[in-house]
Amino acid sequence: MIEKIKKDVQTTFAEDPERLTHTYGVLSTALKFQQKYHLDRDKLTIAALLHDITKNEEKKFHTRLIKRHYGKKIIKDYTEPLFHGFSAAAYAKETYGIKDPDILGMIENHVVGKPAMTLYEKVLYISDYIEPNRPYEACKEVRDIAFDSLDEAVYQAMDNSIRLFEEKGGFIPEIAYRARAYYENRIKNKKEAPWINSE
Ligand SMILES: [Fe+2]
Ligand SMILES: [Fe+2]
């Protein structure tokens, strides 16, 4: 199945080489975490390859898939640029019959994140943020801490993203604030009682 997915990614982004490079950057970054945390290589590979597969589709494409698999609430709570995580997960289900909750969770939550993500979800969220082709300054510091503390990296990435969108006056879904607060708390608790939490 992975070979088939690779061909699909190649065809989908034939005219968008940057997205293709990004996708493979996310894959190589995710596989570094795979070694560190002994995660399932195939699950990470499939999620990394498919995470942005619907990114360049039109609004109608996203809403149709999202309504079919998640209902209307997602359409209400998020805006168009944030739809592609959900539509890509729905695409993975329909095109490849993927049912694995680890894979689907990674794809669904890579854009905004959420409170209490699984280790898999955190790994893909951060790999998407720090992959080597990301040009912006803000991701450098996250890159530096990501392999020491995934939770701190997640918090920093969420905080950076929220601030950036606030500056631009862009839409920020409510779950983004809840997720940031969750990780802020988690880091604080970990510092106070480091023996309680592990990644
Ligand atoms: Fe994405
Ligand atoms: Fe991405």
Side-chain angles (χ1 to χ4, degrees):
M1 177 159 64
I2 288 175
E3 281 317 302
K4 219 176 142 198
I5 294 174
K6 281 185 177 167
K7 274 191 196 141
D8 188 0
V9 172
Q10 204 80 33
T11 320
T12 304
F13 298 129
E15 317 257 287
D16 187 357
E18 278 181 16
R19 186 58 49 187
L20 191 63
T21 309
H22 163 72
T23 299
Y24 277 91
V26 174
L27 175 58
S28 66
T29 309
L31 291 181
K32 285 186 191 160
F33 287 106
Q34 183 255 330
Q35 289 171 349
K36 183 174 179 195
Y37 295 114
H38 309 290
L39 299 167
D40 186 289
R41 193 179 170 90
D42 286 354
K43 288 187 190 195
L44 277 176
T45 303
I46 293 169
L49 287 170
L50 289 176
H51 84 283
D52 275 345
I53 194 82
T54 59
K55 178 103 180 172
N56 296 339
E57 300 294 340
E58 286 179 3
K59 189 174 183 182
K60 244 184 166 176
F61 181 97
H62 299 293
T63 50
R64 191 170 44 83
L65 272 177
I66 291 172
K67 274 184 197 157
R68 199 144 69 212
H69 291 267
Y70 298 96
K72 285 185 185 156
K73 191 166 177 355
I74 298 288
I75 317 261
K76 265 198 217 150
D77 292 351
Y78 295 81
T79 46
E80 193 182 343
L82 310 174
F83 285 166
H84 73 275
F86 296 99
S87 60
Y91 178 93
K93 288 187 204 175
E94 288 194 5
T95 311
Y96 297 100
I98 292 169
K99 293 190 184 84
D100 184 289
D102 290 329
I103 299 176
L104 297 174
M106 279 188 267
I107 303 175
E108 279 165 20
N109 296 298
H110 86 270
V111 186
V112 181
K114 65 175 183 181
M117 289 192 281
T118 65
L119 181 54
Y120 277 106
E121 287 164 349
K122 288 191 277 191
V123 163
L124 196 73
Y125 177 85
I126 281 302
S127 300
D128 187 49
Y129 193 84
I130 65 166
E131 65 94 3
N133 308 293
R134 289 292 201 198
Y136 38 78
E137 274 301 300
C139 87
K140 267 194 193 157
E141 52 179 305
V142 177
R143 204 177 273 147
D144 289 342
I145 55 172
F147 288 92
D148 293 329
S149 171
L150 200 49
D151 282 333
E152 277 195 56
V154 166
Y155 168 72
Q156 202 56 59
M158 286 176 169
D159 191 46
N160 291 347
S161 306
I162 287 175
R163 284 168 196 265
L164 188 78
F165 275 91
E166 278 175 348
E167 272 170 34
K168 287 201 289 190
F171 172 81
I172 302 163
E174 187 262 333
I175 195 168
Y177 290 104
R178 277 198 286 123
R180 179 176 67 172
Y182 175 90
Y183 283 99
E184 190 174 19
N185 240 317
R186 194 171 153 89
I187 296 165
K188 209 174 117 218
N189 291 340
K190 217 186 227 178
K191 279 186 181 146
E192 282 162 14
W195 59 89
I196 294 176
N197 281 311
S198 66
E199 301 282 12

